[in-house]
Amino acid sequence: MKVSVGVENLSLEIDQGEVFGLLGLNGAGKTTTIKLLLGLLFPTKGKVSIRGEAMPNLNILRKIGYLPEAAYINKYLTGREAVNIFAKLSKMPAQIRKKAVGDILEKVGMTAGADKKIGEYSKGMVQRISMAQALIHNPDILIMDEPITGLDPLAILEVRQLIMWLKSQGKTVFLSSHNISEVEKVCDRIAILTNGRLASVVSNQDWRDKEGRLEEIFTSTVKRTENIGPLKFS
């Protein structure tokens, strides 16, 4: 039986209150890393811990909000009903749940569409409801897997604003992406993954006020570690 390695010898330490990005090509191991963090996969070597607790840990998971790349939410529910279900799953007391659901729907810009069926939503609207479910229990840590994939420019701007608001609230944000221009706008540090291995960790001081610098760092790192030659045109 052929064994496929998702990530190997990956060592990361993320500080409380920072926005940390995981940057890599498709198949680099970003989603695998997130699944390891959440306890959806188990490492064959090493350990994964959050706040000093080995994962998976239910007490820690209650403090995490997770925004998957492609959320599946029952299309026959309204947005409000879906977020309310997640609020119940988060053990939110009934006396505060209605207001909390309304508040988070407003926060993600879904008040007007909250009572429509999710099957009628655009991709951007589904993503907003997915954000609402990730935030409804006021988590300390938000994990986002490719949060802007398929979104239009306005929705991308709003996701960026949401991330910066979370940071202003002292939340820790861990996000994966292959969109360099967005990562450089919000992250304090980024890790570059290539072929499931950590190739580099860089701080925003390395690219701040230097247009195109992060793209340069990323492409040179990927080409070096994956032995990709230059394009040739004739």
XYZ file of all heavy atoms in Angstrom, residues 54-152:
760
model
N -2.838 19.062 24.515
C -2.771 18.216 23.330
C -4.135 18.161 22.651
O -5.170 18.063 23.313
C -2.312 16.812 23.711
N -4.114 18.222 21.328
C -5.356 18.156 20.561
C -5.590 16.728 20.069
O -4.639 15.998 19.805
C -5.283 19.119 19.384
C -5.162 20.573 19.814
S -6.556 21.152 20.805
C -7.845 21.202 19.565
N -6.866 16.321 19.951
C -8.069 17.116 20.181
C -8.422 17.220 21.660
O -8.202 16.277 22.426
C -9.141 16.339 19.425
C -8.669 14.910 19.461
C -7.174 14.975 19.416
N -8.959 18.358 22.052
C -9.360 18.625 23.424
C -10.657 19.422 23.365
O -10.694 20.534 22.813
C -8.258 19.418 24.133
C -8.592 19.745 25.575
O -9.555 20.455 25.845
N -7.789 19.253 26.500
N -11.737 18.872 23.904
C -13.045 19.515 23.761
C -13.085 20.902 24.398
O -13.720 21.818 23.869
C -14.139 18.633 24.376
C -14.522 17.384 23.562
C -15.577 16.581 24.307
C -15.020 17.775 22.179
N -12.412 21.073 25.520
C -12.415 22.382 26.175
C -11.730 23.428 25.306
O -12.153 24.594 25.263
C -11.729 22.297 27.539
C -12.562 21.558 28.562
O -13.799 21.600 28.510
N -11.911 20.874 29.485
N -10.675 23.033 24.602
C -9.991 23.952 23.702
C -10.817 24.175 22.440
O -10.936 25.305 21.942
C -8.585 23.429 23.334
C -7.709 23.340 24.584
C -7.938 24.323 22.288
C -7.423 24.673 25.252
N -11.404 23.108 21.913
C -12.203 23.236 20.696
C -13.381 24.189 20.886
O -13.808 24.850 19.935
C -12.707 21.859 20.249
C -11.652 20.940 19.622
C -12.219 19.544 19.413
C -11.155 21.509 18.298
N -13.895 24.272 22.100
C -14.991 25.217 22.360
C -14.555 26.672 22.206
O -15.389 27.563 22.061
C -15.538 25.000 23.781
C -16.297 23.698 23.963
C -16.977 23.637 25.311
N -17.645 22.360 25.498
C -17.176 21.354 26.222
N -16.001 21.487 26.850
N -17.844 20.226 26.334
N -13.244 26.900 22.256
C -12.724 28.261 22.142
C -12.247 28.595 20.731
O -11.648 29.633 20.493
C -11.561 28.446 23.127
C -11.978 28.243 24.574
C -10.775 28.257 25.505
C -11.210 27.980 26.951
N -10.055 27.910 27.868
N -12.514 27.659 19.794
C -12.054 27.814 18.414
C -13.244 27.976 17.480
O -14.245 27.271 17.606
C -11.220 26.594 17.969
C -9.937 26.498 18.801
C -10.878 26.668 16.485
C -9.120 25.254 18.524
N -13.124 28.899 16.540
C -14.070 29.003 15.441
C -13.386 28.512 14.177
O -12.226 28.848 13.933
N -14.088 27.719 13.383
C -13.483 27.120 12.184
C -14.284 27.497 10.950
O -15.493 27.249 10.873
C -13.427 25.603 12.340
C -12.981 24.856 11.100
C -11.876 25.285 10.357
C -13.657 23.715 10.667
C -11.470 24.600 9.223
C -13.250 23.016 9.541
C -12.156 23.469 8.824
O -11.755 22.785 7.700
N -13.604 28.109 10.000
C -14.206 28.460 8.718
C -13.573 27.582 7.643
O -12.442 27.828 7.228
C -13.964 29.934 8.404
C -14.489 30.449 7.065
C -16.018 30.438 7.052
C -13.976 31.853 6.788
N -14.260 26.523 7.189
C -13.678 25.649 6.171
C -13.680 26.311 4.808
O -14.391 27.296 4.572
C -14.595 24.421 6.193
C -15.904 24.949 6.670
C -15.588 26.073 7.624
N -12.895 25.766 3.901
C -12.833 26.327 2.552
C -14.181 26.205 1.848
O -14.644 27.139 1.193
C -11.754 25.617 1.728
C -11.664 26.131 0.299
C -10.594 25.441 -0.524
O -9.947 24.503 -0.013
O -10.409 25.838 -1.678
N -14.809 25.060 1.958
C -16.103 24.840 1.315
C -17.058 24.289 2.360
O -17.144 23.076 2.564
C -15.963 23.882 0.142
N -17.748 25.195 3.035
C -18.653 24.770 4.105
C -19.901 24.119 3.514
O -20.448 24.598 2.517
C -19.043 25.971 4.949
N -20.326 23.022 4.127
C -21.610 22.455 3.752
C -22.615 22.818 4.832
O -22.490 22.403 5.981
C -21.574 20.928 3.594
C -22.961 20.384 3.331
C -23.530 20.504 2.064
C -23.728 19.847 4.354
C -24.820 20.077 1.823
C -25.025 19.407 4.122
C -25.574 19.527 2.855
O -26.852 19.112 2.615
N -23.593 23.610 4.446
C -24.670 23.982 5.358
C -25.976 23.624 4.659
O -26.159 23.948 3.473
C -24.625 25.485 5.704
C -23.262 25.844 6.295
C -25.727 25.842 6.706
C -23.081 27.326 6.577
N -26.862 22.983 5.352
C -28.122 22.501 4.778
C -28.832 23.601 3.980
O -29.209 24.634 4.520
C -29.036 22.004 5.901
C -30.254 21.257 5.375
O -30.850 21.624 4.372
N -30.618 20.184 6.068
N -29.000 23.362 2.682
C -29.543 24.406 1.803
C -31.023 24.682 2.027
O -31.556 25.673 1.519
C -29.306 24.020 0.340
C -30.064 22.785 -0.120
C -29.753 22.480 -1.579
C -30.525 21.258 -2.065
N -30.232 20.972 -3.491
N -31.702 23.801 2.788
C -33.123 24.006 3.044
C -33.376 24.862 4.292
O -34.503 25.236 4.583
C -33.833 22.659 3.181
C -33.746 21.835 1.915
C -32.919 20.725 1.844
C -34.467 22.193 0.776
C -32.817 19.974 0.678
C -34.368 21.452 -0.394
C -33.538 20.353 -0.438
O -33.434 19.623 -1.597
N -32.312 25.159 5.030
C -32.424 26.053 6.182
C -32.254 27.493 5.736
O -31.613 27.775 4.726
C -31.343 25.730 7.215
C -31.377 24.362 7.887
C -30.144 24.193 8.765
C -32.645 24.181 8.704
N -32.810 28.406 6.497
C -32.469 29.808 6.281
C -31.125 30.080 6.963
O -30.667 29.293 7.805
C -33.528 30.747 6.874
O -33.505 30.636 8.312
C -34.923 30.424 6.360
N -30.517 31.190 6.606
C -29.257 31.546 7.254
C -29.415 31.686 8.754
O -28.568 31.230 9.534
N -30.521 32.290 9.165
C -30.759 32.480 10.604
C -30.912 31.139 11.310
O -30.366 30.926 12.397
C -32.003 33.339 10.814
C -32.196 33.803 12.264
C -33.494 34.601 12.433
N -33.591 35.701 11.481
C -33.023 36.893 11.669
N -32.322 37.124 12.767
N -33.177 37.851 10.768
N -31.654 30.226 10.694
C -31.852 28.911 11.307
C -30.518 28.162 11.432
O -30.255 27.520 12.456
C -32.824 28.087 10.457
C -34.264 28.566 10.539
C -35.163 27.922 9.501
O -34.632 27.377 8.495
O -36.396 27.962 9.668
N -29.692 28.259 10.401
C -28.401 27.560 10.429
C -27.512 28.090 11.545
O -26.919 27.316 12.316
C -27.695 27.714 9.076
N -27.415 29.412 11.650
C -26.560 29.991 12.692
C -27.118 29.677 14.073
O -26.366 29.414 15.023
C -26.413 31.517 12.488
C -25.590 32.131 13.615
C -25.757 31.807 11.145
N -28.443 29.646 14.191
C -29.066 29.307 15.475
C -28.724 27.875 15.888
O -28.479 27.604 17.077
C -30.582 29.476 15.380
C -31.268 29.328 16.725
O -30.992 30.069 17.672
N -32.162 28.353 16.839
N -28.687 26.963 14.921
C -28.311 25.573 15.224
C -26.883 25.517 15.762
O -26.598 24.825 16.749
C -28.466 24.681 13.970
C -29.947 24.440 13.692
C -27.730 23.357 14.147
C -30.221 23.738 12.379
N -25.974 26.248 15.123
C -24.593 26.253 15.591
C -24.485 26.893 16.974
O -23.655 26.487 17.791
C -23.693 26.966 14.589
C -23.353 26.125 13.392
C -23.982 26.340 12.172
C -22.427 25.100 13.495
C -23.675 25.552 11.072
C -22.118 24.305 12.399
C -22.754 24.531 11.178
N -25.328 27.883 17.245
C -25.349 28.488 18.573
C -25.785 27.460 19.620
O -25.211 27.387 20.714
C -26.280 29.697 18.590
N -26.765 26.652 19.280
C -27.217 25.600 20.191
C -26.106 24.574 20.410
O -25.874 24.124 21.536
C -28.460 24.905 19.630
C -29.735 25.735 19.686
C -30.910 24.931 19.116
C -32.201 25.714 19.186
N -33.344 24.944 18.611
N -25.434 24.188 19.314
C -24.342 23.230 19.435
C -23.211 23.760 20.306
O -22.470 22.990 20.925
C -23.802 22.881 18.043
C -24.729 22.051 17.143
C -24.153 21.947 15.739
C -24.941 20.660 17.732
N -23.083 25.084 20.341
C -22.050 25.723 21.166
C -22.490 25.888 22.619
O -21.781 26.519 23.404
C -21.701 27.097 20.577
O -21.207 26.979 19.268
N -23.667 25.334 22.958
C -24.206 25.385 24.325
C -24.526 26.815 24.763
O -24.434 27.152 25.948
C -23.227 24.752 25.336
C -22.740 23.356 24.978
C -23.855 22.341 25.015
C -23.331 20.930 24.783
N -24.409 19.930 24.722
N -24.895 27.659 23.807
C -25.248 29.029 24.148
C -26.612 29.044 24.842
O -27.571 28.451 24.336
C -25.284 29.899 22.891
C -25.562 31.367 23.159
S -25.389 32.358 21.653
C -23.602 32.266 21.432
N -26.724 29.699 25.993
C -28.003 29.731 26.711
C -29.116 30.339 25.868
O -28.902 31.300 25.119
C -27.697 30.617 27.932
C -26.218 30.525 28.106
C -25.650 30.387 26.725
N -30.320 29.767 25.975
C -31.447 30.192 25.151
C -31.777 31.666 25.325
O -32.174 32.345 24.367
C -32.667 29.341 25.485
N -31.590 32.199 26.550
C -31.992 33.579 26.818
C -31.135 34.618 26.100
O -31.541 35.765 25.954
C -32.009 33.859 28.330
C -30.680 33.710 29.043
C -30.447 32.322 29.586
O -30.976 31.349 29.040
N -29.679 32.210 30.668
N -29.948 34.223 25.652
C -29.099 35.186 24.936
C -28.899 34.805 23.470
O -28.324 35.571 22.699
C -27.711 35.330 25.612
C -26.909 34.023 25.502
C -27.851 35.775 27.058
C -25.463 34.174 25.913
N -29.418 33.648 23.081
C -29.123 33.121 21.749
C -29.729 33.974 20.633
O -29.065 34.284 19.645
C -29.620 31.680 21.643
C -29.063 30.953 20.442
C -29.222 29.458 20.585
N -30.595 29.048 20.800
C -31.014 28.283 21.801
N -30.154 27.848 22.715
N -32.280 27.944 21.914
N -30.970 34.378 20.783
C -31.639 35.132 19.720
C -30.896 36.422 19.406
O -30.653 36.758 18.238
C -33.089 35.432 20.110
C -33.863 36.150 19.020
C -35.322 36.345 19.420
C -36.088 37.056 18.308
N -37.528 37.256 18.676
N -30.522 37.157 20.460
C -29.803 38.414 20.254
C -28.418 38.154 19.653
O -27.964 38.879 18.748
C -29.655 39.185 21.561
C -28.961 40.540 21.393
C -28.866 41.292 22.702
C -28.302 42.696 22.485
N -27.032 42.733 21.758
N -27.738 37.114 20.158
C -26.396 36.808 19.653
C -26.429 36.454 18.172
O -25.569 36.884 17.398
C -25.791 35.662 20.461
N -27.435 35.675 17.766
C -27.574 35.307 16.353
C -27.823 36.552 15.507
O -27.205 36.751 14.456
C -28.699 34.267 16.166
C -29.024 34.088 14.677
C -28.305 32.932 16.782
N -28.721 37.417 15.961
C -28.992 38.647 15.230
C -27.772 39.540 15.121
O -27.499 40.119 14.063
N -27.022 39.623 16.216
C -25.824 40.479 16.230
C -24.768 39.984 15.258
O -24.147 40.775 14.535
C -25.237 40.542 17.649
C -26.069 41.383 18.602
O -26.982 42.099 18.129
O -25.826 41.312 19.820
N -24.548 38.662 15.228
C -23.483 38.147 14.362
C -23.908 38.191 12.897
O -23.078 38.419 12.007
C -23.047 36.717 14.784
C -21.632 36.420 14.247
C -24.022 35.663 14.311
C -20.556 37.303 14.796
N -25.202 38.018 12.622
C -25.686 38.166 11.248
C -25.477 39.595 10.755
O -25.099 39.822 9.600
C -27.163 37.772 11.156
C -27.456 36.271 11.273
C -28.946 36.037 11.434
C -26.932 35.517 10.052
N -25.691 40.546 11.638
C -25.440 41.947 11.280
C -23.948 42.171 11.046
O -23.547 42.877 10.111
C -25.948 42.867 12.385
C -25.755 44.344 12.071
C -26.298 45.260 13.155
O -26.735 44.748 14.221
O -26.281 46.485 12.947
N -23.124 41.552 11.882
C -21.679 41.739 11.785
C -21.144 41.248 10.442
O -20.233 41.871 9.863
C -20.980 40.981 12.928
C -19.477 41.265 13.032
C -19.237 42.687 13.494
C -17.797 43.066 13.446
N -17.567 44.474 13.785
N -21.699 40.164 9.932
C -21.209 39.628 8.657
C -22.036 40.126 7.466
O -21.873 39.640 6.352
C -21.176 38.080 8.674
C -20.255 37.575 9.769
C -22.578 37.483 8.808
N -22.920 41.098 7.695
C -23.666 41.708 6.602
C -24.778 40.851 6.039
O -25.105 40.952 4.851
N -25.395 40.012 6.891
C -26.428 39.105 6.399
C -27.793 39.336 7.018
O -28.666 38.472 6.941
C -25.995 37.655 6.641
C -25.006 37.131 5.610
S -25.643 37.151 3.917
C -26.964 35.959 4.033
N -28.018 40.490 7.598
C -29.326 40.763 8.202
C -30.437 40.692 7.154
O -31.485 40.067 7.374
C -29.338 42.149 8.881
O -28.330 42.167 9.905
C -30.688 42.443 9.509
N -30.213 41.311 5.997
C -31.253 41.367 4.966
C -31.568 39.993 4.380
O -32.717 39.706 4.044
C -30.830 42.325 3.852
N -30.553 39.137 4.265
C -30.771 37.829 3.649
C -30.918 36.693 4.628
O -30.981 35.528 4.227
N -31.023 37.017 5.914
C -30.982 35.979 6.953
C -32.141 35.001 6.884
O -31.999 33.849 7.301
C -30.944 36.630 8.332
N -33.289 35.435 6.362
C -34.466 34.575 6.377
C -34.784 33.960 5.019
O -35.878 33.433 4.809
C -35.661 35.358 6.932
C -35.418 35.804 8.372
O -35.110 34.931 9.214
O -35.479 37.010 8.649
N -33.809 34.012 4.121
C -33.915 33.290 2.865
C -33.257 31.913 3.017
O -32.367 31.729 3.838
C -33.207 34.061 1.744
C -33.862 35.378 1.383
C -33.086 36.053 0.260
C -33.715 37.381 -0.115
N -32.948 38.068 -1.191
N -33.710 30.969 2.198
C -33.107 29.636 2.206
C -31.662 29.715 1.679
O -31.362 30.439 0.728
C -33.914 28.678 1.341
C -35.312 28.372 1.887
C -35.245 27.410 3.046
C -36.605 26.816 3.374
N -37.548 27.797 3.962
N -30.781 28.937 2.300
C -29.374 28.949 1.905
C -29.208 28.478 0.458
O -28.293 28.932 -0.245
C -28.547 28.099 2.881
C -28.464 28.837 4.226
C -27.151 27.797 2.342
C -27.835 28.062 5.337
N -30.102 27.637 -0.018
C -30.063 27.199 -1.410
C -30.217 28.334 -2.403
O -29.886 28.182 -3.582
N -30.750 29.476 -1.951
C -30.924 30.643 -2.819
C -29.729 31.588 -2.753
O -29.695 32.590 -3.472
C -32.191 31.408 -2.407
C -33.467 30.589 -2.465
C -34.651 31.336 -1.876
O -34.598 32.580 -1.814
O -35.625 30.682 -1.472
N -28.760 31.276 -1.898
C -27.635 32.185 -1.671
C -26.590 32.087 -2.786
O -26.388 31.032 -3.383
C -26.928 31.852 -0.357
C -27.633 32.293 0.906
C -28.841 32.964 0.887
C -27.065 32.028 2.149
C -29.463 33.362 2.048
C -27.674 32.422 3.331
C -28.877 33.087 3.270
O -29.483 33.485 4.432
N -25.882 33.200 -2.991
C -24.662 33.189 -3.789
C -23.541 32.572 -2.950
O -23.685 32.391 -1.731
C -24.273 34.611 -4.185
O -23.912 35.359 -3.022
N -22.413 32.286 -3.582
C -21.264 31.742 -2.842
C -20.815 32.702 -1.753
O -20.485 32.286 -0.638
C -20.097 31.443 -3.790
C -18.855 30.933 -3.058
C -17.757 30.513 -3.991
C -16.487 30.140 -3.245
N -16.649 29.106 -2.239
N -20.827 33.991 -2.066
C -20.421 34.980 -1.072
C -21.335 34.996 0.138
O -20.877 35.136 1.272
N -22.630 34.835 -0.089
C -23.589 34.811 1.023
C -23.403 33.558 1.876
O -23.480 33.611 3.104
C -25.011 34.903 0.482
C -25.326 36.238 -0.185
S -26.915 36.225 -1.061
C -28.072 36.353 0.309
N -23.154 32.418 1.218
C -22.889 31.179 1.968
C -21.642 31.361 2.833
O -21.598 30.935 3.997
C -22.716 29.987 1.010
C -22.264 28.743 1.781
C -24.009 29.696 0.275
N -20.627 32.024 2.270
C -19.388 32.254 3.020
C -19.645 33.146 4.234
O -19.073 32.942 5.308
C -18.336 32.884 2.103
C -16.950 32.985 2.704
C -16.196 31.665 2.715
O -16.805 30.599 2.722
N -14.885 31.729 2.707
N -20.523 34.132 4.079
C -20.844 35.009 5.215
C -21.538 34.229 6.331
O -21.258 34.434 7.512
C -21.738 36.159 4.750
C -21.057 37.190 3.878
C -22.099 38.123 3.277
N -21.552 38.952 2.229
C -21.310 40.250 2.329
N -21.554 40.866 3.463
N -20.842 40.937 1.324
N -22.454 33.335 5.950
C -23.131 32.512 6.956
C -22.134 31.565 7.614
O -22.186 31.310 8.830
C -24.301 31.727 6.320
C -25.429 32.691 5.948
C -24.832 30.658 7.286
C -26.039 33.452 7.129
N -21.203 31.055 6.832
C -20.160 30.196 7.390
C -19.312 30.971 8.394
O -18.923 30.440 9.440
C -19.294 29.633 6.266
O -18.381 28.685 6.756
N -19.024 32.235 8.080
C -18.296 33.079 9.039
C -19.110 33.271 10.313
O -18.572 33.225 11.419
C -18.001 34.444 8.421
C -16.951 34.433 7.339
S -16.773 36.102 6.660
C -15.864 35.720 5.172
N -20.405 33.471 10.135
C -21.271 33.681 11.304
C -21.257 32.459 12.218
O -21.181 32.585 13.445
C -22.695 33.991 10.850
N -21.313 31.257 11.631
C -21.300 30.052 12.472
C -19.960 29.900 13.183
O -19.890 29.386 14.288
C -21.653 28.796 11.660
C -20.658 28.375 10.589
C -19.426 27.638 11.097
O -19.452 27.077 12.206
N -18.358 27.646 10.329
N -18.878 30.358 12.536
C -17.555 30.245 13.161
C -17.394 31.230 14.314
O -16.589 30.998 15.217
C -16.466 30.482 12.115
N -18.158 32.314 14.279
C -17.985 33.389 15.262
C -19.069 33.444 16.333
O -18.913 34.173 17.311
C -17.949 34.743 14.532
C -16.770 34.980 13.584
C -17.029 36.223 12.739
C -15.484 35.134 14.368
N -20.137 32.683 16.169
C -21.310 32.842 17.025
C -21.004 32.623 18.507
O -21.597 33.246 19.378
C -22.463 31.905 16.563
C -23.736 32.145 17.372
C -22.037 30.435 16.655
C -24.289 33.533 17.254
N -20.031 31.777 18.815
C -19.735 31.478 20.216
C -18.581 32.333 20.764
O -18.026 32.035 21.816
C -19.424 29.988 20.392
C -18.296 29.486 19.553
N -18.260 29.592 18.185
C -17.131 28.870 19.899
C -17.138 29.066 17.720
N -16.429 28.636 18.744
N -18.239 33.406 20.016
C -17.199 34.348 20.447
C -15.886 33.625 20.775
O -15.344 33.731 21.881
C -17.671 35.149 21.664
C -16.744 36.316 21.978
O -16.091 36.861 21.095
N -16.673 36.686 23.248
N -15.317 32.912 19.795
C -14.109 32.126 20.058
C -12.879 33.002 20.267
O -12.809 34.128 19.753
C -13.969 31.283 18.789
C -14.597 32.120 17.720
C -15.750 32.812 18.388
N -11.907 32.474 20.989
C -10.631 33.173 21.176
C -9.717 32.993 19.968
O -8.833 33.809 19.711
C -9.904 32.638 22.416
C -10.667 32.916 23.693
O -11.396 33.921 23.737
O -10.532 32.123 24.644
N -9.926 31.873 19.257
C -9.063 31.510 18.123
C -9.951 31.253 16.913
O -10.960 30.543 17.019
C -8.245 30.248 18.443
C -7.372 30.458 19.676
C -7.384 29.838 17.243
C -6.803 29.174 20.252
N -9.577 31.824 15.768
C -10.319 31.556 14.540
C -9.372 30.921 13.533
O -8.299 31.457 13.251
C -10.904 32.842 13.960
C -11.838 32.634 12.758
C -13.103 31.914 13.205
C -12.197 33.953 12.095
N -9.780 29.771 13.011
C -8.996 29.058 12.002
C -9.765 29.117 10.687
O -10.920 28.698 10.610
C -8.743 27.601 12.428
C -7.882 27.580 13.703
C -8.065 26.818 11.313
C -7.648 26.199 14.273
N -9.117 29.655 9.655
C -9.782 29.897 8.381
C -8.999 29.204 7.261
O -7.816 29.464 7.086
C -9.872 31.400 8.109
C -10.429 32.209 9.259
S -10.291 34.004 9.017
C -11.714 34.312 7.988
N -9.675 28.340 6.524
C -9.037 27.620 5.421
C -9.468 28.253 4.102
O -10.626 28.149 3.698
C -9.453 26.143 5.473
C -8.629 25.278 4.531
O -7.702 25.807 3.890
O -8.923 24.069 4.442
N -8.539 28.926 3.428
C -8.807 29.590 2.150
C -10.079 30.446 2.231
O -11.055 30.222 1.501
C -8.945 28.554 1.023
C -7.728 27.681 0.806
C -6.576 28.394 0.088
O -6.717 29.585 -0.215
O -5.541 27.752 -0.143
N -10.102 31.459 3.101
C -11.347 32.185 3.365
C -11.877 33.030 2.222
O -13.050 33.417 2.246
C -10.971 33.072 4.562
C -9.494 33.245 4.464
C -8.985 31.944 3.924
N -11.063 33.327 1.193
C -11.551 34.214 0.136
C -11.695 33.514 -1.213
O -11.979 34.174 -2.218
C -10.633 35.438 -0.025
C -9.220 35.024 -0.440
C -10.601 36.254 1.259
C -8.343 36.185 -0.843
N -11.554 32.195 -1.239
C -11.663 31.472 -2.506
C -13.038 31.685 -3.131
O -14.066 31.456 -2.501
C -11.436 29.967 -2.295
O -10.116 29.766 -1.806
C -11.605 29.204 -3.598
N -13.047 32.170 -4.389
C -14.297 32.330 -5.121
C -15.100 33.561 -4.778
O -16.210 33.734 -5.292
N -14.578 34.420 -3.914
C -15.330 35.606 -3.523
C -15.056 36.775 -4.462
O -13.982 36.879 -5.059
C -14.974 36.010 -2.090
C -15.281 34.989 -0.991
C -14.993 35.598 0.375
C -16.724 34.510 -1.056
N -16.040 37.686 -4.572
C -15.847 38.869 -5.400
C -15.039 39.904 -4.620
O -14.833 39.769 -3.407
C -17.193 39.435 -5.864
C -18.106 39.841 -4.717
O -17.626 40.469 -3.749
O -19.314 39.542 -4.779
